[in-house]
């Protein structure tokens, strides 16, 4: 079944998170967290206008539905790549395998009386199977989104840049170039560094929340 033929969206009733507020406190404890996730793409062997990525939508405290990449905490004993595949499956219902690194981003948020500095490692994944599912309680909606629409759909500037990097890597694959040879690794590393540098300057349109 092609991306155009399958249902491209799954939605649950909007669910607000328990609000603890973003009150600042000079004595607030600072913690560091590390997560992983990625962009799982279907149709990689076809034309660009038929390639789609699975995104998740979360409802923020102001009731806005914000679209982002699936991601989650790295569990003990997991590699970042294993976490990315697990979290994509848990949050979207879609199974994928890692093709390449897209880079890492970091941001700050406040939750449950703590200031959290989160680093997230992102990967490009190839679709392997599954159907969209929004059973994850933290996810309001999931959808297949054409790659050509990611720039307008993704809520955060750093993730929009990740999508650009993914597009560059997909172009290399389409041209028959390997992502694992020396030239491919240099291209991937350079692209990932641009994301890391950009993340230090901008984390998107509005306050970043946990996730």
């Amino acid at each position: 079944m092609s991306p155009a033929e399958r249902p491209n969206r799954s939605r649950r009733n909007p669910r607000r998170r328990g609000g603890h507020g973003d009150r600042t406190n000079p004595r607030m404890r600072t913690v560091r967290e590390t997560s992983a996730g990625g962009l799982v793409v279907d149709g990689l062997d076809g034309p660009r206008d038929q390639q789609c990525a699975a995104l998740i939508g979360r409802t923020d405290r102001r009731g806005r539905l914000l679209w982002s990449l699936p991601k989650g905490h790295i569990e003990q004993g997991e590699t970042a790549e294993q976490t990315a595949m697990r979290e994509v499956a848990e949050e979207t219902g879609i199974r994928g395998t890692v093709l390449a690194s897209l880079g890492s981003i970091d941001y700050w948020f406040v939750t449950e009386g703590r200031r959290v500095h989160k680093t997230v490692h992102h990967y490009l994944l190839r679709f392997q199977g599954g159907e969209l599912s929004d059973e994850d309680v933290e996810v309001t909606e999931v959808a297949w989104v054409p790659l050509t629409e990611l720039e307008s759909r993704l809520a955060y500037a750093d993730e929009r840049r990740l999508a650009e990097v993914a597009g560059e890597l997909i172009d290399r694959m389409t041209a028959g170039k390997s992502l694992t040879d020396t030239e491919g690794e240099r291209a991937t590393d350079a692209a990932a560094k641009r994301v890391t540098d950009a993340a230090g300057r901008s984390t998107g349109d509005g306050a970043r929340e946990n996730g």
Side-chain angles (χ1 to χ4, degrees), residues 90-108:
E90 290 179 358
E91 294 193 339
T92 69
I94 301 302
R95 302 187 306 277
T97 55
V98 170
L99 293 175
S101 171
L102 294 176
S104 301
I105 60 179
D106 69 285
Y107 53 90
W108 293 84

Side-chain angles (χ1 to χ4, degrees), residues 114-131:
R114 303 173 301 157
R115 295 180 68 245
V116 180
H117 183 199
K118 173 170 281 192
T119 300
V120 187
H121 306 292
H122 286 88
Y123 297 89
L124 174 64
L125 290 83
R126 178 188 290 274
F127 169 81
Q128 294 293 328
E131 296 291 339

Side-chain angles (χ1 to χ4, degrees), residues 64-121:
R64 301 174 302 170
L65 184 64
L66 302 180
W67 292 95
S68 63
L69 304 182
K71 66 186 76 68
H73 294 289
I74 297 177
E75 302 293 346
Q76 185 174 4
E78 280 187 329
T79 65
E81 292 88 345
Q82 289 170 336
T83 298
M85 292 187 289
R86 175 179 57 78
E87 287 291 337
V88 166
E90 290 179 358
E91 294 193 339
T92 69
I94 301 302
R95 302 187 306 277
T97 55
V98 170
L99 293 175
S101 171
L102 294 176
S104 301
I105 60 179
D106 69 285
Y107 53 90
W108 293 84
F109 61 91
V110 175
T111 183
E112 298 178 347
R114 303 173 301 157
R115 295 180 68 245
V116 180
H117 183 199
K118 173 170 281 192
T119 300
V120 187
H121 306 292

